[in-house]
Amino acid sequence: MAVLIEPMPWLRTAAFSLSLRGGVDVEPERLGGLSGLVCEMVQRGAGSHSSRDLVAIQDNLGIDRSSGVNTATVSFGAAMPAESLAEAIRLYADVVRRPHLPQDQLEDARMMSIQELRAMEDEPTHRVMQRLRRMHYGDRLGRTNYGNLEGIESIGHADVREFFQSHYHAGGAILAVAGRVDLSAVIGWAEAAFGDWRSSPVSPPSEPEGHAGYEHIESPSNQTHIGFAFDSIPYGHPDYFKMRAGVGILSDGMSSRLFDRVREQRGLCYTVTASCHSMKRGAGIFGYAGTTPERAQETLDVTLGEIEHLCDDLDPGELERWQIRIQSLLIMEQESSASRASSLASDYYQVGRPVPTSELEVAIESLTLDQVRDYWLSHPASRYRIVTLGPEPLSPPTSIQQSND
């Protein structure tokens, strides 16, 4: 297990992010939702503590906690007064190493998973973006974190125990700690809590298997939801911030191009966004627009047009505004132990090392408009994946129509 520690002595809090390689990617194909269900079950009693005891102890320690799964990992996060950190680390060592996995609570956990799944399926934006993600990354990497009804209903207690035994171990695990902490003390607490934890090899992440195309989900709605994506480069790539700056000019803040030119000036939609998404072996730029059926086609055409013509009229002020915005976010991260712990863990998984904030600041401040322009001219948006939901399908770009033919 990698242990990453960043002292932030100006804070009164401490936080950790504990991630294990037990995410959606390692679920059996027939048991979609198993990783999330196991994440819930390990928190229902552990070590010498019952489920109620765990909650009471966390509350008494002042812990603001979170947990969840993504494609690659299952993660447990906790932020608290700094003096509670030692006990919190011991407590979560019980959770991930010695959970009770009570069989009599499996049905309750299953019903929670089903309710979360149904809530997401009732949300049209989620339906569009989830289908888009599957088109972009393929059937395995693109699977939803919420699983599927058939998979959740098929999970037995033996499946829970087997998944726990196979994927909850020190191999590939990351414990990232940030805040008002003493380096040697944290190392000692981590060694005591996890030093003899069993370790096993971890499977390499799956490869993306997406394809360009257009799909429409028919729905008798008075709105049309548009999702689009295209290939990009992952975090850690030498050109990442050149790409990221272009996305920021397009869609970071209310002065960005998509918000101003598509929403404000033309009044085509009530929301429009674009953002980066990065995995270990793949990445994409994902966008969404919500509009009326009457304006949906123009919304799609104008939005993609803004992306494709990004370099036509780049202005130094646009890059400067994005740089200031990102620097502000980095400054705010320095005021949050939880944000910094999460970033440390994410950096280590993505690029194999924690990335200092000062390094990010230099990379962002040194960007020039010519570098951004050169990147986007040599990496134009192409091979779109587009998903729409509404009463009528739209006409996708000619390149997609040709690929579908």
Short mmCIF file of all heavy atoms in Angstrom, two decimals, residues 242-306:
data_model
loop_
_atom_site.label_atom_id
_atom_site.label_comp_id
_atom_site.label_asym_id
_atom_site.label_seq_id
_atom_site.Cartn_x
_atom_site.Cartn_y
_atom_site.Cartn_z
N LYS A 242 -2.44 21.99 -22.12
CA LYS A 242 -2.77 22.69 -23.36
C LYS A 242 -4.19 22.33 -23.79
O LYS A 242 -4.97 23.18 -24.22
CB LYS A 242 -1.78 22.32 -24.46
CG LYS A 242 -0.34 22.66 -24.14
CD LYS A 242 0.60 22.10 -25.20
CE LYS A 242 2.05 22.28 -24.78
NZ LYS A 242 3.00 21.65 -25.75
N MET A 243 -4.51 21.05 -23.67
CA MET A 243 -5.87 20.61 -23.96
C MET A 243 -6.85 21.18 -22.95
O MET A 243 -7.91 21.71 -23.30
CB MET A 243 -5.93 19.08 -23.96
CG MET A 243 -7.32 18.47 -24.16
SD MET A 243 -8.31 18.35 -22.63
CE MET A 243 -7.34 17.19 -21.68
N ARG A 244 -6.47 21.11 -21.68
CA ARG A 244 -7.37 21.54 -20.60
C ARG A 244 -7.68 23.03 -20.70
O ARG A 244 -8.81 23.45 -20.40
CB ARG A 244 -6.72 21.22 -19.25
CG ARG A 244 -7.53 21.63 -18.04
CD ARG A 244 -8.82 20.85 -17.94
NE ARG A 244 -9.63 21.30 -16.81
CZ ARG A 244 -10.48 22.33 -16.84
NH1 ARG A 244 -10.63 23.02 -17.97
NH2 ARG A 244 -11.16 22.67 -15.77
N ALA A 245 -6.71 23.83 -21.12
CA ALA A 245 -6.96 25.26 -21.28
C ALA A 245 -8.02 25.51 -22.35
O ALA A 245 -8.88 26.39 -22.19
CB ALA A 245 -5.67 25.99 -21.61
N GLY A 246 -7.97 24.77 -23.44
CA GLY A 246 -8.98 24.93 -24.48
C GLY A 246 -10.37 24.59 -23.97
O GLY A 246 -11.35 25.31 -24.26
N VAL A 247 -10.47 23.52 -23.20
CA VAL A 247 -11.77 23.16 -22.61
C VAL A 247 -12.21 24.26 -21.64
O VAL A 247 -13.41 24.59 -21.57
CB VAL A 247 -11.68 21.80 -21.91
CG1 VAL A 247 -12.99 21.47 -21.19
CG2 VAL A 247 -11.35 20.70 -22.90
N GLY A 248 -11.27 24.82 -20.89
CA GLY A 248 -11.61 25.89 -19.97
C GLY A 248 -12.13 27.13 -20.69
O GLY A 248 -13.08 27.78 -20.23
N ILE A 249 -11.52 27.48 -21.80
CA ILE A 249 -11.99 28.63 -22.59
C ILE A 249 -13.40 28.36 -23.10
O ILE A 249 -14.25 29.24 -23.15
CB ILE A 249 -11.01 28.92 -23.74
CG1 ILE A 249 -9.70 29.47 -23.17
CG2 ILE A 249 -11.62 29.88 -24.75
CD1 ILE A 249 -8.58 29.56 -24.17
N LEU A 250 -13.66 27.11 -23.44
CA LEU A 250 -14.99 26.74 -23.92
C LEU A 250 -16.03 26.71 -22.81
O LEU A 250 -17.18 27.11 -23.03
CB LEU A 250 -14.94 25.36 -24.58
CG LEU A 250 -14.33 25.27 -25.98
CD1 LEU A 250 -14.09 23.81 -26.35
CD2 LEU A 250 -15.26 25.93 -27.01
N SER A 251 -15.64 26.26 -21.60
CA SER A 251 -16.71 25.92 -20.65
C SER A 251 -16.37 26.04 -19.18
O SER A 251 -16.96 25.37 -18.37
CB SER A 251 -17.19 24.49 -20.92
OG SER A 251 -18.35 24.20 -20.19
N ASP A 252 -15.44 26.90 -18.79
CA ASP A 252 -15.20 27.13 -17.37
C ASP A 252 -15.75 28.50 -16.98
O ASP A 252 -15.16 29.53 -17.33
CB ASP A 252 -13.70 27.06 -17.05
CG ASP A 252 -13.25 25.66 -16.73
OD1 ASP A 252 -14.07 24.74 -16.87
OD2 ASP A 252 -12.07 25.47 -16.38
N GLY A 253 -16.87 28.53 -16.32
CA GLY A 253 -17.42 29.78 -15.84
C GLY A 253 -18.40 30.44 -16.79
O GLY A 253 -18.56 30.03 -17.95
N MET A 254 -19.05 31.48 -16.30
CA MET A 254 -20.11 32.14 -17.08
C MET A 254 -19.56 33.04 -18.18
O MET A 254 -20.33 33.53 -19.01
CB MET A 254 -21.02 32.91 -16.14
CG MET A 254 -21.88 32.02 -15.28
SD MET A 254 -23.17 32.90 -14.37
CE MET A 254 -22.17 33.82 -13.19
N SER A 255 -18.25 33.30 -18.20
CA SER A 255 -17.67 34.05 -19.31
C SER A 255 -17.13 33.14 -20.40
O SER A 255 -16.58 33.61 -21.39
CB SER A 255 -16.54 34.96 -18.79
OG SER A 255 -15.52 34.19 -18.17
N SER A 256 -17.29 31.82 -20.23
CA SER A 256 -16.78 30.88 -21.22
C SER A 256 -17.62 30.93 -22.50
O SER A 256 -18.75 31.42 -22.51
CB SER A 256 -16.79 29.46 -20.65
OG SER A 256 -18.11 29.04 -20.37
N ARG A 257 -17.09 30.40 -23.57
CA ARG A 257 -17.72 30.54 -24.88
C ARG A 257 -19.06 29.82 -24.97
O ARG A 257 -20.02 30.37 -25.52
CB ARG A 257 -16.78 30.02 -25.97
CG ARG A 257 -15.57 30.90 -26.18
CD ARG A 257 -14.83 30.51 -27.44
NE ARG A 257 -13.69 31.40 -27.67
CZ ARG A 257 -12.96 31.38 -28.77
NH1 ARG A 257 -13.24 30.51 -29.74
NH2 ARG A 257 -11.96 32.22 -28.92
N LEU A 258 -19.12 28.58 -24.50
CA LEU A 258 -20.37 27.86 -24.65
C LEU A 258 -21.49 28.54 -23.87
O LEU A 258 -22.61 28.71 -24.37
CB LEU A 258 -20.21 26.41 -24.20
CG LEU A 258 -19.28 25.53 -25.03
CD1 LEU A 258 -19.29 24.09 -24.53
CD2 LEU A 258 -19.65 25.57 -26.51
N PHE A 259 -21.20 28.94 -22.66
CA PHE A 259 -22.22 29.61 -21.85
C PHE A 259 -22.64 30.92 -22.50
O PHE A 259 -23.83 31.23 -22.62
CB PHE A 259 -21.70 29.86 -20.43
CG PHE A 259 -22.74 30.40 -19.49
CD1 PHE A 259 -23.51 29.54 -18.72
CD2 PHE A 259 -22.95 31.77 -19.37
CE1 PHE A 259 -24.47 30.04 -17.84
CE2 PHE A 259 -23.92 32.28 -18.51
CZ PHE A 259 -24.68 31.41 -17.74
N ASP A 260 -21.66 31.71 -22.93
CA ASP A 260 -21.96 33.04 -23.46
C ASP A 260 -22.57 32.98 -24.85
O ASP A 260 -23.61 33.59 -25.11
CB ASP A 260 -20.67 33.87 -23.48
CG ASP A 260 -20.91 35.27 -24.01
OD1 ASP A 260 -21.78 35.97 -23.46
OD2 ASP A 260 -20.26 35.67 -24.99
N ARG A 261 -21.97 32.21 -25.74
CA ARG A 261 -22.39 32.26 -27.15
C ARG A 261 -23.57 31.36 -27.47
O ARG A 261 -24.35 31.67 -28.37
CB ARG A 261 -21.20 31.90 -28.04
CG ARG A 261 -20.03 32.85 -27.91
CD ARG A 261 -18.90 32.48 -28.85
NE ARG A 261 -17.75 33.37 -28.69
CZ ARG A 261 -16.65 33.30 -29.44
NH1 ARG A 261 -16.54 32.37 -30.39
NH2 ARG A 261 -15.65 34.15 -29.23
N VAL A 262 -23.69 30.24 -26.77
CA VAL A 262 -24.79 29.32 -27.05
C VAL A 262 -26.00 29.63 -26.16
O VAL A 262 -27.13 29.70 -26.64
CB VAL A 262 -24.35 27.85 -26.84
CG1 VAL A 262 -25.48 26.89 -27.22
CG2 VAL A 262 -23.11 27.55 -27.69
N ARG A 263 -25.76 29.85 -24.87
CA ARG A 263 -26.86 30.07 -23.94
C ARG A 263 -27.29 31.53 -23.89
O ARG A 263 -28.48 31.85 -24.07
CB ARG A 263 -26.47 29.60 -22.54
CG ARG A 263 -27.58 29.74 -21.49
CD ARG A 263 -27.05 29.39 -20.11
NE ARG A 263 -28.08 29.35 -19.10
CZ ARG A 263 -28.51 30.41 -18.41
NH1 ARG A 263 -27.98 31.60 -18.66
NH2 ARG A 263 -29.45 30.28 -17.50
N GLU A 264 -26.34 32.44 -23.63
CA GLU A 264 -26.70 33.82 -23.37
C GLU A 264 -27.04 34.60 -24.65
O GLU A 264 -28.09 35.22 -24.74
CB GLU A 264 -25.57 34.52 -22.61
CG GLU A 264 -25.37 33.98 -21.21
CD GLU A 264 -26.55 34.25 -20.32
OE1 GLU A 264 -26.77 35.42 -19.96
OE2 GLU A 264 -27.29 33.29 -20.00
N GLN A 265 -26.13 34.60 -25.62
CA GLN A 265 -26.34 35.42 -26.81
C GLN A 265 -27.45 34.88 -27.71
O GLN A 265 -28.26 35.64 -28.24
CB GLN A 265 -25.04 35.52 -27.61
CG GLN A 265 -23.94 36.31 -26.91
CD GLN A 265 -22.73 36.51 -27.80
OE1 GLN A 265 -22.83 36.56 -29.02
NE2 GLN A 265 -21.56 36.63 -27.18
N ARG A 266 -27.51 33.57 -27.87
CA ARG A 266 -28.50 32.98 -28.78
C ARG A 266 -29.74 32.48 -28.05
O ARG A 266 -30.77 32.25 -28.69
CB ARG A 266 -27.87 31.83 -29.57
CG ARG A 266 -26.80 32.26 -30.57
CD ARG A 266 -26.17 31.04 -31.22
NE ARG A 266 -25.16 31.38 -32.19
CZ ARG A 266 -25.33 31.36 -33.51
NH1 ARG A 266 -26.51 31.01 -34.01
NH2 ARG A 266 -24.36 31.67 -34.33
N GLY A 267 -29.64 32.24 -26.76
CA GLY A 267 -30.78 31.74 -26.00
C GLY A 267 -31.24 30.37 -26.46
O GLY A 267 -32.43 30.06 -26.41
N LEU A 268 -30.28 29.51 -26.85
CA LEU A 268 -30.65 28.22 -27.43
C LEU A 268 -30.95 27.15 -26.39
O LEU A 268 -31.66 26.19 -26.68
CB LEU A 268 -29.52 27.72 -28.35
CG LEU A 268 -29.33 28.49 -29.65
CD1 LEU A 268 -28.10 27.98 -30.39
CD2 LEU A 268 -30.56 28.36 -30.54
N CYS A 269 -30.42 27.30 -25.18
CA CYS A 269 -30.55 26.22 -24.20
C CYS A 269 -30.51 26.80 -22.80
O CYS A 269 -30.12 27.95 -22.60
CB CYS A 269 -29.43 25.18 -24.38
SG CYS A 269 -27.78 25.91 -24.28
N TYR A 270 -30.92 26.00 -21.82
CA TYR A 270 -30.87 26.47 -20.44
C TYR A 270 -29.58 26.07 -19.75
O TYR A 270 -29.23 26.61 -18.70
CB TYR A 270 -32.08 25.98 -19.64
CG TYR A 270 -32.27 24.48 -19.62
CD1 TYR A 270 -31.62 23.68 -18.68
CD2 TYR A 270 -33.13 23.86 -20.53
CE1 TYR A 270 -31.80 22.32 -18.64
CE2 TYR A 270 -33.31 22.48 -20.51
CZ TYR A 270 -32.65 21.71 -19.56
OH TYR A 270 -32.82 20.35 -19.54
N THR A 271 -28.86 25.12 -20.32
CA THR A 271 -27.54 24.78 -19.79
C THR A 271 -26.70 24.14 -20.90
O THR A 271 -27.24 23.44 -21.76
CB THR A 271 -27.65 23.81 -18.59
OG1 THR A 271 -26.34 23.57 -18.03
CG2 THR A 271 -28.22 22.46 -19.01
N VAL A 272 -25.40 24.40 -20.85
CA VAL A 272 -24.47 23.77 -21.79
C VAL A 272 -23.09 23.74 -21.13
O VAL A 272 -22.64 24.73 -20.56
CB VAL A 272 -24.43 24.51 -23.14
CG1 VAL A 272 -24.01 25.98 -22.97
CG2 VAL A 272 -23.51 23.80 -24.12
N THR A 273 -22.46 22.58 -21.15
CA THR A 273 -21.17 22.40 -20.49
C THR A 273 -20.28 21.47 -21.30
O THR A 273 -20.75 20.68 -22.13
CB THR A 273 -21.33 21.79 -19.09
OG1 THR A 273 -21.91 20.47 -19.22
CG2 THR A 273 -22.22 22.65 -18.21
N ALA A 274 -18.99 21.55 -21.02
CA ALA A 274 -18.02 20.57 -21.53
C ALA A 274 -16.94 20.41 -20.47
O ALA A 274 -16.57 21.38 -19.80
CB ALA A 274 -17.40 21.03 -22.85
N SER A 275 -16.45 19.19 -20.31
CA SER A 275 -15.44 18.93 -19.28
C SER A 275 -14.57 17.75 -19.69
O SER A 275 -14.92 16.99 -20.59
CB SER A 275 -16.11 18.64 -17.92
OG SER A 275 -16.94 17.50 -18.03
N CYS A 276 -13.44 17.63 -19.02
CA CYS A 276 -12.49 16.54 -19.29
C CYS A 276 -12.79 15.35 -18.38
O CYS A 276 -13.17 15.53 -17.23
CB CYS A 276 -11.06 16.99 -19.04
SG CYS A 276 -10.60 18.51 -19.87
N HIS A 277 -12.57 14.16 -18.90
CA HIS A 277 -12.64 12.96 -18.08
C HIS A 277 -11.44 12.10 -18.42
O HIS A 277 -11.08 11.93 -19.58
CB HIS A 277 -13.92 12.18 -18.35
CG HIS A 277 -14.09 10.99 -17.45
ND1 HIS A 277 -13.68 9.72 -17.80
CD2 HIS A 277 -14.60 10.89 -16.19
CE1 HIS A 277 -13.94 8.89 -16.80
NE2 HIS A 277 -14.49 9.58 -15.82
N SER A 278 -10.79 11.57 -17.38
CA SER A 278 -9.55 10.84 -17.59
C SER A 278 -9.56 9.52 -16.86
O SER A 278 -9.97 9.44 -15.70
CB SER A 278 -8.35 11.68 -17.11
OG SER A 278 -7.13 11.03 -17.37
N MET A 279 -9.13 8.47 -17.56
CA MET A 279 -8.90 7.16 -16.97
C MET A 279 -7.44 6.79 -17.16
O MET A 279 -6.67 7.53 -17.78
CB MET A 279 -9.80 6.10 -17.60
CG MET A 279 -11.27 6.22 -17.25
SD MET A 279 -12.18 4.75 -17.79
CE MET A 279 -13.82 5.17 -17.24
N LYS A 280 -7.06 5.65 -16.62
CA LYS A 280 -5.68 5.22 -16.71
C LYS A 280 -5.25 5.03 -18.17
O LYS A 280 -4.15 5.41 -18.57
CB LYS A 280 -5.51 3.91 -15.95
CG LYS A 280 -4.08 3.48 -15.74
CD LYS A 280 -3.45 4.15 -14.55
CE LYS A 280 -2.15 3.49 -14.15
NZ LYS A 280 -1.52 4.16 -13.02
N ARG A 281 -6.14 4.45 -18.98
CA ARG A 281 -5.78 4.13 -20.36
C ARG A 281 -6.68 4.80 -21.39
O ARG A 281 -6.73 4.36 -22.54
CB ARG A 281 -5.84 2.60 -20.56
CG ARG A 281 -4.78 1.86 -19.76
CD ARG A 281 -4.74 0.39 -20.12
NE ARG A 281 -3.64 -0.30 -19.47
CZ ARG A 281 -3.37 -1.58 -19.62
NH1 ARG A 281 -4.14 -2.33 -20.41
NH2 ARG A 281 -2.35 -2.14 -19.00
N GLY A 282 -7.36 5.81 -21.01
CA GLY A 282 -8.21 6.49 -21.96
C GLY A 282 -8.74 7.78 -21.38
O GLY A 282 -8.66 8.02 -20.17
N ALA A 283 -9.28 8.63 -22.24
CA ALA A 283 -9.80 9.91 -21.80
C ALA A 283 -10.79 10.43 -22.81
O ALA A 283 -10.88 9.93 -23.94
CB ALA A 283 -8.65 10.91 -21.60
N GLY A 284 -11.54 11.43 -22.42
CA GLY A 284 -12.49 12.03 -23.33
C GLY A 284 -12.89 13.41 -22.87
O GLY A 284 -12.70 13.78 -21.71
N ILE A 285 -13.42 14.19 -23.78
CA ILE A 285 -14.07 15.44 -23.46
C ILE A 285 -15.56 15.20 -23.62
O ILE A 285 -16.02 14.78 -24.70
CB ILE A 285 -13.58 16.57 -24.37
CG1 ILE A 285 -12.11 16.86 -24.08
CG2 ILE A 285 -14.42 17.84 -24.16
CD1 ILE A 285 -11.45 17.82 -25.05
N PHE A 286 -16.30 15.40 -22.54
CA PHE A 286 -17.73 15.12 -22.51
C PHE A 286 -18.50 16.43 -22.38
O PHE A 286 -18.10 17.31 -21.60
CB PHE A 286 -18.08 14.22 -21.31
CG PHE A 286 -17.66 12.79 -21.49
CD1 PHE A 286 -16.34 12.41 -21.41
CD2 PHE A 286 -18.62 11.81 -21.73
CE1 PHE A 286 -15.96 11.09 -21.57
CE2 PHE A 286 -18.25 10.48 -21.90
CZ PHE A 286 -16.92 10.12 -21.82
N GLY A 287 -19.59 16.54 -23.12
CA GLY A 287 -20.41 17.74 -23.06
C GLY A 287 -21.88 17.42 -22.95
O GLY A 287 -22.32 16.30 -23.29
N TYR A 288 -22.64 18.40 -22.48
CA TYR A 288 -24.08 18.21 -22.31
C TYR A 288 -24.78 19.53 -22.58
O TYR A 288 -24.28 20.61 -22.23
CB TYR A 288 -24.41 17.75 -20.89
CG TYR A 288 -25.89 17.83 -20.58
CD1 TYR A 288 -26.76 16.82 -21.02
CD2 TYR A 288 -26.43 18.91 -19.89
CE1 TYR A 288 -28.12 16.90 -20.77
CE2 TYR A 288 -27.78 18.99 -19.62
CZ TYR A 288 -28.62 17.99 -20.07
OH TYR A 288 -29.98 18.07 -19.83
N ALA A 289 -25.95 19.45 -23.20
CA ALA A 289 -26.81 20.61 -23.38
C ALA A 289 -28.25 20.19 -23.16
O ALA A 289 -28.67 19.12 -23.61
CB ALA A 289 -26.63 21.22 -24.77
N GLY A 290 -29.02 21.03 -22.48
CA GLY A 290 -30.44 20.80 -22.27
C GLY A 290 -31.23 21.92 -22.92
O GLY A 290 -30.94 23.10 -22.69
N THR A 291 -32.22 21.56 -23.75
CA THR A 291 -32.91 22.57 -24.51
C THR A 291 -34.33 22.11 -24.83
O THR A 291 -34.78 21.07 -24.33
CB THR A 291 -32.13 22.89 -25.80
OG1 THR A 291 -32.78 23.95 -26.50
CG2 THR A 291 -32.02 21.68 -26.70
N THR A 292 -35.02 22.85 -25.68
CA THR A 292 -36.36 22.44 -26.13
C THR A 292 -36.23 21.68 -27.44
O THR A 292 -35.25 21.84 -28.18
CB THR A 292 -37.24 23.68 -26.36
OG1 THR A 292 -36.65 24.50 -27.39
CG2 THR A 292 -37.38 24.48 -25.08
N PRO A 293 -37.20 20.84 -27.77
CA PRO A 293 -37.14 20.10 -29.05
C PRO A 293 -37.01 21.02 -30.25
O PRO A 293 -36.31 20.68 -31.22
CB PRO A 293 -38.46 19.33 -29.06
CG PRO A 293 -38.81 19.15 -27.62
CD PRO A 293 -38.35 20.40 -26.94
N GLU A 294 -37.64 22.19 -30.20
CA GLU A 294 -37.61 23.10 -31.35
C GLU A 294 -36.21 23.67 -31.59
O GLU A 294 -35.86 23.98 -32.73
CB GLU A 294 -38.60 24.26 -31.13
CG GLU A 294 -40.07 23.83 -31.05
CD GLU A 294 -40.43 23.22 -29.71
OE1 GLU A 294 -39.67 23.41 -28.73
OE2 GLU A 294 -41.48 22.53 -29.64
N ARG A 295 -35.43 23.80 -30.53
CA ARG A 295 -34.10 24.41 -30.66
C ARG A 295 -32.97 23.39 -30.55
O ARG A 295 -31.79 23.77 -30.53
CB ARG A 295 -33.93 25.50 -29.60
CG ARG A 295 -34.91 26.64 -29.78
CD ARG A 295 -34.61 27.79 -28.85
NE ARG A 295 -35.44 28.95 -29.15
CZ ARG A 295 -35.30 30.13 -28.60
NH1 ARG A 295 -34.36 30.33 -27.70
NH2 ARG A 295 -36.09 31.14 -28.93
N ALA A 296 -33.31 22.13 -30.47
CA ALA A 296 -32.30 21.11 -30.20
C ALA A 296 -31.28 20.99 -31.33
O ALA A 296 -30.07 20.92 -31.09
CB ALA A 296 -32.97 19.77 -29.95
N GLN A 297 -31.76 20.95 -32.57
CA GLN A 297 -30.82 20.79 -33.69
C GLN A 297 -29.85 21.96 -33.78
O GLN A 297 -28.65 21.78 -33.95
CB GLN A 297 -31.58 20.65 -35.01
CG GLN A 297 -30.68 20.34 -36.21
CD GLN A 297 -30.01 18.98 -36.09
OE1 GLN A 297 -30.68 17.96 -35.95
NE2 GLN A 297 -28.68 18.96 -36.12
N GLU A 298 -30.37 23.18 -33.63
CA GLU A 298 -29.48 24.34 -33.68
C GLU A 298 -28.52 24.35 -32.50
O GLU A 298 -27.35 24.74 -32.64
CB GLU A 298 -30.31 25.63 -33.71
CG GLU A 298 -29.46 26.86 -33.96
CD GLU A 298 -30.28 28.15 -34.05
OE1 GLU A 298 -31.52 28.07 -33.90
OE2 GLU A 298 -29.67 29.22 -34.23
N THR A 299 -29.00 23.91 -31.34
CA THR A 299 -28.12 23.83 -30.17
C THR A 299 -26.95 22.90 -30.44
O THR A 299 -25.78 23.22 -30.16
CB THR A 299 -28.89 23.35 -28.94
OG1 THR A 299 -29.93 24.28 -28.63
CG2 THR A 299 -27.97 23.19 -27.73
N LEU A 300 -27.24 21.72 -30.98
CA LEU A 300 -26.17 20.77 -31.30
C LEU A 300 -25.21 21.35 -32.32
O LEU A 300 -23.98 21.30 -32.14
CB LEU A 300 -26.79 19.48 -31.83
CG LEU A 300 -25.80 18.41 -32.32
CD1 LEU A 300 -24.87 17.95 -31.19
CD2 LEU A 300 -26.54 17.23 -32.93
N ASP A 301 -25.74 21.92 -33.38
CA ASP A 301 -24.89 22.43 -34.46
C ASP A 301 -24.00 23.57 -33.98
O ASP A 301 -22.80 23.61 -34.27
CB ASP A 301 -25.75 22.91 -35.63
CG ASP A 301 -26.53 21.78 -36.30
OD1 ASP A 301 -26.14 20.61 -36.11
OD2 ASP A 301 -27.52 22.08 -36.99
N VAL A 302 -24.59 24.50 -33.23
CA VAL A 302 -23.82 25.66 -32.77
C VAL A 302 -22.77 25.24 -31.73
O VAL A 302 -21.64 25.73 -31.75
CB VAL A 302 -24.76 26.73 -32.21
CG1 VAL A 302 -23.96 27.87 -31.55
CG2 VAL A 302 -25.65 27.30 -33.31
N THR A 303 -23.14 24.33 -30.84
CA THR A 303 -22.20 23.88 -29.81
C THR A 303 -20.99 23.20 -30.43
O THR A 303 -19.84 23.52 -30.10
CB THR A 303 -22.90 22.92 -28.83
OG1 THR A 303 -23.98 23.60 -28.19
CG2 THR A 303 -21.92 22.43 -27.78
N LEU A 304 -21.22 22.26 -31.34
CA LEU A 304 -20.09 21.60 -31.99
C LEU A 304 -19.31 22.58 -32.85
O LEU A 304 -18.08 22.47 -32.97
CB LEU A 304 -20.60 20.43 -32.84
CG LEU A 304 -21.31 19.30 -32.09
CD1 LEU A 304 -21.57 18.12 -33.02
CD2 LEU A 304 -20.51 18.84 -30.88
N GLY A 305 -20.01 23.56 -33.44
CA GLY A 305 -19.31 24.57 -34.23
C GLY A 305 -18.37 25.40 -33.38
O GLY A 305 -17.25 25.72 -33.82
N GLU A 306 -18.78 25.74 -32.17
CA GLU A 306 -17.89 26.50 -31.27
C GLU A 306 -16.64 25.69 -30.92
O GLU A 306 -15.55 26.24 -30.82
CB GLU A 306 -18.64 26.89 -29.99
CG GLU A 306 -19.67 27.98 -30.17
CD GLU A 306 -19.05 29.31 -30.54
OE1 GLU A 306 -17.86 29.53 -30.23
OE2 GLU A 306 -19.75 30.13 -31.16
#
